[in-house]
Amino acid sequence: MKKFKHIILKILKWTGISLASILFLMFILPILFPGTISSQVKIFANKHLAGKLDYRKTHLTFFRHFPSLTVTVDDLLLKGSKPFQNDTLLAAREVSVGINLKNLIFDRQVKIDEIYVTDAYANVFVNTKGEANYNVYVSKPSEKPKDTAAAGPSIKLDFIKLKNWNIRYNDHAARVLVDAKGLNYTGQGGLSEDIFDLETDLDINKLDFSLNRIYYAQQKTLHADLITRINTNALTFVLRKNELRINDLPLKFTGFVSILKDGYNLDIKAASEKTTIRDMISVLPPQYLNWAKDTKIEGNSDLFFSLKGRFSEPKNLKPRLNARLFIQDGYVSNGKAPVPMNHLNMNLNVDLPSLNTDQLGIDLKNLSFDLGANNSFKAVVQTKGLNEMMVNANIKGAVNLQTLDQALGLKDIDVRGMMDTNIQSKGIFSLDKKLFPKTDGYLNLKNGWLKTKYYPNAIQNISMVANIVNTDGTFKSLGVKLNPFKFDFEGNPVFINADLQNFEDVLYKVRAKGVLNIGRIYKVFAKKGFDVSGLIMADLSLNGRQSYATNGQYSRLDNKGNLILKNIKATTEYLPKSFFIKEGNFQFENEKMWFRKFFATYGKSDFALNGYLLNTINYFIERRGTLHGKFGLNSNYILIDEFMALKNGDNSKKSIDVEYAKVENPKSSGVVIVPDNLDVALTVNAKKVEFKGLGLNHIKGNAAVEKGQVYLKNTSFDIIGSRMNIDARYQNESPLTANYDVALKVLDFNVQRAYKEIDMVREMATAAKDVKGIVSIDYKLKGDFDKNMKPIYPSLEGGGVVNLRDVEVKNLKMLSAVGDNLGSKAFNDPDMKGVNIETHIKNNLIHVDKFTFKVSILRPTVSGTSSFNGLLDLRIRIGILPGGIIGFPVVVTGTHDKPKIKIFSKKGQGILDAVYNKKTNKIIRQEKRAEKKTRRQQRKEKEAQEDRAKNAEKQINKDLKQK
């Protein structure tokens, strides 16, 4: 017994010593190696990260992720790679890396085999050009043989743990958005091996997924138990065991993903078999889930999904999507429902080759349910394509909407009425080819009633009888009758009768009368975008044929009546703010829709219109119709800046192009986007128009909007005390770029005032700061605007004449330098009154034709080239009495600020023009000083540059005359 006690005490003693030693080492190791660890982490970061890395402090401890020895970085912030170097890629409260003890103690090397990241936000972004912000890891292969003895950090991962992450993946090139909140991830395996199996456990509290701004998942929970074989040599991921659960819906995945140089290749299959309808409903948007909790839902469902093929933006390749959904013998009933929804069945197949909607195939083999005897619905629909769609549809049902409402237990909406429909349709639908499937069908609704929780009053007495017939598959035999569609809302009856025949040349007969409170109607449906007091009052009778207007047979039209709008808000996807129509009184008179009284505001801008639109019926009938018209436009104030596409405003329904441009260029204003469906002539009378701080007053002239372009003809306005006449054309190319032509004439232009108040004058004519007095200008230019609607100077082409009518030029550096070299102070105050200076602009160079002025008894003649960046290559001939016949040459090079003078020399130094790409609106090369060449080479280059500039001016004249 004593011997046994001795052994036990000995074991406890050594155990205690061992534990004490281990604890001692745990405390002492971080003290022994902190410099080694911290310095090598920084070395590793500086060598291998392209993005800027910041953190507050580092720790070395065993106790944060016991028993691993970890280096922990607090409050880490990693910026993205170019061009996103100012944006956050990753921010984390704590990042820890596990250190291999053996290598640390015996080799004094840092080998990382574990990673822990806690409370992190990752912002992964790919712009429309395909540039990504996550390319921050830089591998720099060395030309020298590898020094295996050299100390340095390395990564050989076996374990990754991410806790409480928020990840946002926004890919503008693929138009994909993934937003995951509350992500927890554990991954383990030989992550540093060429081929390894990664075991993954993933949980996400809220997951959003959208494609082309259409959300396919919102606020979903996700759990994944995965085993993925990863081949790092081929960047291939093989899905071996992949079990996911989205809310209550289980999914199993198989297949692979391979990352390619220009995209990726994938073959993924997913299935959710032998699940229930309730499980399927759990993946619906969140607003429907509360409804499902209180509703009895039974029945089986199966879902199959596959995505196969290559995605390559440069090669325009996209994978093929297939999906199948089966619902069998479904049952839905709310507790208060007298009759449940029974025998709910669905068999749906979707095929989308190359993710191309023009090849979209939908095969709804069956959608059916019943609500008791004589109360059932069934639909069979097959379609193929989109712009040219093959259709085969058979829809039939007679449903009591109140019974359906009660069976489903809809809480936010109360609907009643008897709906009866029977539609058979087979053939091709194509707007371009004017084809319509052979169709015979009707939709009838009696005693309709609609009320929502958003508004206390119901839409009552809804009645609709709609018939559609097509006998031969063309637009010609298509007929649609709406006789009648009527309802009452807040004591105001509204009715519409319509009879439309022959859609190749529509014969229409429409009668509409009633008062609609648009704001309250939209409240019924909880929609925003219209003012609560907005009213539409209509009393219209429209009778005619589409061709009567296009062929000028206006006497055969019988369109009459009035349409009145009051206090209506309206938005367009290309403008940041809403238009507010305070009052619009429209009168229909045969082919014309007259604007008898129309007043609207847009931000600070106001508009009063009177005139007419032509062919408005065609605009609503035709695809991509164009509105024609003629108006008088009066305004007190128009602020152009408010119309720039990327400016901030109240419009939440911008086009996807504008939205992406705004995200990628948050500090840019964009350009003004012109609608392409208008052909309208305007007589303009505006008291003030402001653009980027420049005020144009008393604008009068003619304008036109045509095919996405704005034209000004014989337009004049006051600018800095002078009257300017202008002809111009403007066209946007995207939300970020635009092009323009302008021909302007201005008399009695105050040079100093222009230099102080107009940015473009300061940037284009830097020498104007030394000029005082009055000039006249006759100039033509064309060029591009950048993403802030500023001129791109290398894009400018054109030319014209500046007349120095009554000016003083004092202390111009270039002339003063010439005078200093000649010993003549008169060059500080030359006589330039009445001198005409003709110049031509091309590729950021200004080519100056010969002009002569007086300097005391001398007659200098100047010609040559200068650039917008200040480079000079000018020739001056100093003429001496009598009449300047005798003279000597002077060359001026250098810059405007530091001119270089050579007397009795004709040898200058040319300027290579800038290179500008009009298609991409990019400056490829700025102008620069040319290498020294022979006089003959310089002369040829100068002549070629001047020829290009003159040809550009001729082209502008030709373009303006054509417009």
Side-chain angles (χ1 to χ4, degrees):
M1 192 66 182
K2 289 183 179 180
K3 189 175 182 181
F4 178 74
K5 288 182 179 179
H6 179 72
I7 293 171
I8 293 296
L9 289 172
K10 200 168 187 181
I11 291 172
L12 290 173
K13 175 183 175 182
W14 284 107
T15 300
I17 292 172
S18 299
L19 288 173
S21 301
I22 290 171
L23 289 172
F24 175 74
L25 285 173
M26 286 182 174
F27 280 107
I28 199 66
L29 280 174
I31 297 172
L32 293 175
F33 295 100
T36 301
I37 303 277
S38 182
S39 62
Q40 293 198 18
V41 166
K42 289 182 179 178
I43 290 170
F44 180 84
N46 291 331
K47 280 186 177 181
H48 296 283
L49 292 180
K52 183 181 178 183
L53 178 69
D54 285 324
Y55 52 85
R56 186 164 56 87
K57 62 180 179 179
T58 61
H59 307 274
L60 181 62
T61 178
F62 281 95
F63 299 104
R64 287 212 175 183
H65 298 281
F66 185 83
S68 298
L69 174 63
T70 57
V71 177
T72 299
V73 177
D74 290 342
D75 299 333
L76 178 138
L77 181 65
L78 176 62
K79 300 288 187 178
S81 55
K82 291 183 178 180
F84 310 101
Q85 59 269 34
N86 295 323
D87 300 328
T88 298
L89 172 61
L90 176 65
R93 182 179 62 82
E94 176 189 305
V95 178
S96 300
V97 293
I99 307 299
N100 186 294
L101 275 177
K102 175 180 175 295
N103 291 98
L104 180 65
I105 295 171
F106 297 104
D107 302 327
R108 297 186 68 85
Q109 290 184 345
V110 178
K111 301 292 183 182
I112 299 170
D113 54 16
E114 296 176 354
I115 289 182
Y116 305 84
V117 185
T118 305
D119 296 338
Y121 168 70
N123 177 37
V124 182
F125 181 69
V126 182
N127 66 17
T128 49
K129 300 174 185 177
E131 299 169 326
N133 70 339
Y134 53 77
N135 296 317
V136 293
Y137 184 78
V138 180
S139 179
K140 298 180 180 179
S142 176
E143 297 179 359
K144 298 179 180 180
K146 186 177 180 181
D147 183 4
T148 56
S154 64
I155 297 177
K156 188 176 182 180
L157 290 177
D158 294 312
F159 185 82
I160 298 175
K161 186 166 186 177
L162 311 179
K163 184 178 179 182
N164 192 26
W165 273 55
N166 292 336
I167 299 178
R168 184 177 177 85
Y169 173 80
N170 197 350
D171 189 335
H172 285 182
R175 298 190 171 184
V176 169
L177 172 66
V178 179
D179 195 355
K181 293 181 173 66
L183 180 146
N184 294 281
Y185 170 90
T186 302
Q188 53 189 340
L191 279 71
S192 60
E193 305 295 332
D194 292 340
I195 301 175
F196 62 92
D197 285 342
L198 176 64
E199 297 180 14
T200 298
D201 186 69
L202 173 68
D203 285 289
I204 299 175
N205 291 337
K206 291 181 181 179
L207 175 67
D208 294 346
F209 170 75
S210 73
L211 176 63
N212 282 328
R213 291 201 301 188
I214 299 173
Y215 276 89
Y216 295 92
Q218 278 188 292
Q219 298 185 30
K220 302 303 169 195
T221 61
L222 181 105
H223 173 74
D225 185 8
L226 316 173
I227 297 178
T228 306
R229 174 153 291 181
I230 299 177
N231 185 334
T232 59
N233 293 323
L235 282 178
T236 299
F237 305 84
V238 180
L239 309 177
R240 301 186 65 192
K241 175 191 174 186
N242 295 276
E243 297 178 358
L244 275 73
R245 181 173 291 274
I246 303 173
N247 282 10
D248 297 325
L249 182 69
L251 284 171
K252 291 185 178 181
F253 282 81
T254 59
F256 70 87
V257 178
S258 294
I259 308 300
L260 308 176
K261 184 178 181 181
D262 60 351
Y264 48 82
N265 186 27
L266 50 81
D267 184 358
I268 296 176
K269 295 180 178 65
S272 178
E273 299 180 87
K274 298 179 181 179
T275 56
T276 67
I277 298 175
R278 181 175 288 278
D279 293 338
M280 189 73 65
I281 288 175
S282 73
V283 302
L284 290 176
Q287 59 265 34
Y288 298 104
L289 299 185
N290 288 332
W291 161 78
K293 289 179 182 177
D294 301 327
T295 304
K296 186 177 180 181
I297 302 171
E298 297 177 356
N300 300 317
S301 69
D302 295 289
L303 173 67
F304 301 92
F305 168 93
S306 70
L307 191 60
K308 183 177 181 179
R310 284 187 60 181
F311 178 88
S312 171
E313 194 72 28
K315 295 179 181 178
N316 196 27
L317 296 175
K318 292 182 180 179
R320 182 173 196 145
L321 169 68
N322 280 284
R324 289 179 292 160
L325 172 62
F326 298 94
I327 293 177
Q328 187 176 6
D329 202 21
Y331 174 97
V332 180
S333 179
N334 184 264
K336 299 178 181 179
V339 178
M341 176 186 282
N342 258 315
H343 306 116
L344 173 61
N345 293 284
M346 178 187 287
N347 186 348
L348 173 65
N349 290 273
V350 178
D351 183 27
L352 188 57
S354 300
L355 297 181
N356 182 356
T357 53
D358 288 333
Q359 301 180 49
L360 173 65
I362 296 176
D363 186 3
L364 180 62
K365 297 179 183 294
N366 179 37
L367 171 60
S368 60
F369 62 86
D370 67 63
L371 295 157
N374 302 317
N375 203 345
S376 62
F377 179 87
K378 184 173 183 178
V380 178
V381 180
Q382 288 91 33
T383 68
K384 180 69 175 179
L386 197 63
N387 288 329
E388 185 170 322
M389 182 188 294
M390 289 287 300
V391 177
N392 187 359
N394 191 334
I395 302 170
K396 187 174 183 179
V399 177
N400 186 316
L401 297 179
Q402 185 174 13
T403 304
L404 178 64
D405 185 303
Q406 291 173 340
L408 295 177
L410 302 179
K411 296 179 179 179
D412 299 337
I413 187 171
D414 186 2
V415 60
R416 304 172 193 173
M418 287 299 301
M419 185 182 73
D420 182 20
T421 184
N422 190 346
I423 300 173
Q424 290 85 38
S425 184
K426 187 175 184 179
I428 299 174
F429 175 74
S430 171
L431 287 171
D432 293 331
K433 296 181 179 180
K434 296 186 181 298
L435 299 175
F436 195 92
K438 292 181 181 180
T439 303
D440 185 12
Y442 65 84
L443 174 64
N444 295 341
L445 175 63
K446 296 179 181 179
N447 302 319
W449 197 86
L450 175 65
K451 183 179 180 299
T452 69
K453 71 173 186 178
Y454 307 105
Y455 195 72
N457 298 329
I459 302 173
Q460 303 180 48
N461 301 322
I462 305 170
S463 176
M464 181 170 64
V465 178
N467 291 274
I468 181 169
V469 175
N470 186 288
T471 58
D472 65 5
T474 68
F475 269 29
K476 189 173 183 178
S477 69
L478 176 60
V480 177
K481 287 185 180 181
L482 198 64
N483 187 21
F485 171 54
K486 60 183 181 180
F487 60 87
D488 294 340
F489 183 59
E490 296 201 320
N492 292 316
V494 175
F495 80 88
I496 300 172
N497 285 349
D499 186 355
L500 308 176
Q501 302 293 328
N502 184 6
F503 278 66
E504 283 189 5
D505 182 12
V506 178
L507 179 66
Y508 57 88
K509 187 176 182 179
V510 179
R511 184 81 174 94
K513 188 173 182 178
V515 177
L516 272 183
N517 189 317
I518 292 295
R520 293 178 185 176
I521 281 283
Y522 270 69
K523 275 190 174 181
V524 170
F525 299 99
K527 295 291 183 183
K528 298 180 180 179
F530 283 78
D531 191 78
V532 293
S533 61
L535 287 175
I536 294 180
M537 291 170 277
D539 187 357
L540 297 174
S541 176
L542 308 174
N543 297 277
R545 188 180 287 276
Q546 184 180 355
S547 61
Y548 293 166
T550 55
N551 295 334
Q553 297 173 287
Y554 302 130
S555 61
R556 303 186 68 179
L557 293 170
D558 184 18
N559 299 328
K560 57 188 177 183
N562 294 284
L563 181 67
I564 297 173
L565 306 181
K566 287 188 176 181
N567 300 327
I568 299 292
K569 278 186 179 179
T571 58
T572 171
E573 61 181 357
Y574 294 115
L575 289 177
K577 295 179 181 289
S578 299
F579 278 98
F580 187 74
I581 303 173
K582 292 188 174 181
E583 186 171 3
N585 191 332
F586 309 99
Q587 182 179 355
F588 287 80
E589 188 178 281
N590 292 337
E591 81 280 10
K592 294 178 181 177
M593 176 182 176
W594 287 93
F595 285 54
R596 296 301 186 190
K597 192 175 183 181
F598 182 89
F599 184 72
T601 59
Y602 177 86
K604 297 178 182 178
S605 305
D606 63 83
F607 307 90
L609 288 173
N610 65 72
Y612 61 84
L613 285 175
L614 279 171
N615 215 17
T616 51
I617 306 300
N618 278 358
Y619 174 74
F620 292 106
I621 292 174
E622 290 182 347
R623 187 189 187 192
R624 304 189 189 97
T626 298
L627 281 173
H628 305 271
K630 187 174 183 179
F631 292 94
L633 169 63
N634 292 278
S635 175
N636 293 307
Y637 180 66
I638 299 174
L639 179 59
I640 301 294
D641 303 39
E642 292 182 315
F643 292 83
M644 297 177 192
L646 307 191
K647 285 280 190 175
N648 293 326
D650 60 348
N651 184 7
S652 60
K653 295 183 179 179
K654 302 181 183 71
S655 75
I656 194 167
D657 294 332
V658 171
E659 185 178 293
Y660 281 176
K662 179 66 176 175
V663 171
E664 295 177 17
N665 303 271
K667 296 181 180 179
S668 299
S669 66
V671 300
V672 177
I673 296 178
V674 182
D676 58 7
N677 61 344
L678 289 179
D679 180 7
V680 177
L682 298 163
T683 301
V684 180
N685 185 358
K687 290 183 179 179
K688 184 173 184 179
V689 175
E690 193 170 341
F691 174 59
K692 291 187 172 291
L694 180 64
L696 314 177
N697 298 304
H698 305 298
I699 295 182
K700 292 186 177 182
N702 299 315
V705 180
E706 181 183 353
K707 296 179 181 178
Q709 301 184 75
V710 175
Y711 299 95
L712 296 178
K713 283 282 189 181
N714 302 320
T715 303
S716 62
F717 50 83
D718 294 334
I719 179 171
I720 59 171
S722 301
R723 193 70 182 171
M724 179 178 287
N725 296 292
I726 187 172
D727 289 347
R729 180 200 61 83
Y730 169 89
Q731 180 182 30
N732 65 279
E733 299 166 0
S734 74
L736 296 169
T737 56
N739 61 73
Y740 59 91
D741 300 330
V742 60
L744 59 91
K745 292 182 181 180
V746 58
L747 299 174
D748 301 335
F749 202 62
N750 187 304
V751 180
Q752 275 300 296
R753 188 173 173 186
Y755 184 83
K756 291 176 181 177
E757 297 183 24
I758 303 177
D759 292 341
M760 196 170 180
V761 172
R762 285 197 298 274
E763 294 168 356
M764 290 184 62
T766 55
K769 67 179 179 180
D770 298 312
V771 179
K772 294 181 180 179
I774 305 300
V775 303
S776 297
I777 299 173
D778 187 350
Y779 223 87
K780 296 181 178 68
L781 281 174
K782 71 176 182 179
D784 295 334
F785 282 124
D786 68 9
K787 60 187 178 181
N788 289 303
M789 210 161 172
K790 289 185 177 181
I792 302 174
Y793 289 105
S795 75
L796 292 178
E797 299 178 11
V801 177
V802 178
N803 174 259
L804 310 182
R805 190 170 71 80
D806 184 13
V807 300
E808 294 180 5
V809 180
K810 289 189 176 182
N811 301 317
L812 184 63
K813 286 187 178 181
M814 181 194 77
L815 293 180
S816 297
V818 173
D820 291 343
N821 279 268
L822 296 177
S824 172
K825 293 185 178 180
F827 274 88
N828 292 331
D829 188 11
D831 181 5
M832 288 189 160
K833 292 181 181 179
V835 172
N836 287 331
I837 302 177
E838 185 171 354
T839 60
H840 306 279
I841 295 173
K842 177 78 173 180
N843 294 334
N844 226 38
L845 299 185
I846 306 166
H847 305 284
V848 184
D849 290 357
K850 289 182 180 181
F851 68 93
T852 303
F853 56 97
K854 297 178 182 179
V855 177
S856 185
I857 61 172
L858 304 177
R859 298 294 183 272
T861 298
V862 179
S863 65
T865 303
S866 66
S867 82
F868 286 125
N869 287 337
L871 299 178
L872 297 175
D873 183 33
L874 299 175
R875 311 292 189 276
I876 302 178
R877 181 184 181 277
I878 308 295
I880 307 172
L881 288 177
I885 296 174
I886 302 171
F888 58 90
V890 176
V891 169
V892 181
T893 57
T895 66
H896 282 294
D897 292 330
K898 294 182 179 180
K900 297 178 181 178
I901 310 300
K902 293 182 181 179
I903 302 176
F904 300 108
S905 173
K906 294 182 180 181
K907 189 177 181 181
Q909 189 174 2
I911 306 171
L912 292 178
D913 54 3
V915 178
Y916 176 75
N917 188 321
K918 290 184 179 181
K919 291 183 178 180
T920 61
N921 299 99
K922 283 189 175 181
I923 302 167
I924 298 172
R925 185 192 72 199
Q926 293 282 3
E927 75 273 20
K928 61 180 180 179
R929 184 67 69 184
E931 298 178 1
K932 292 186 177 181
K933 298 179 180 180
T934 65
R935 293 179 184 177
R936 184 180 178 186
Q937 289 174 319
Q938 291 179 35
R939 186 171 63 252
K940 282 186 176 182
E941 287 182 358
K942 178 184 175 184
E943 290 172 353
Q945 289 174 349
E946 291 176 349
D947 286 344
R948 287 197 297 270
K950 289 180 179 178
N951 289 336
E953 184 186 3
K954 290 178 182 177
Q955 185 63 43
I956 294 172
N957 288 331
K958 184 179 178 182
D959 292 343
L960 287 170
K961 286 178 181 178
Q962 288 176 348
K963 303 301 181 187

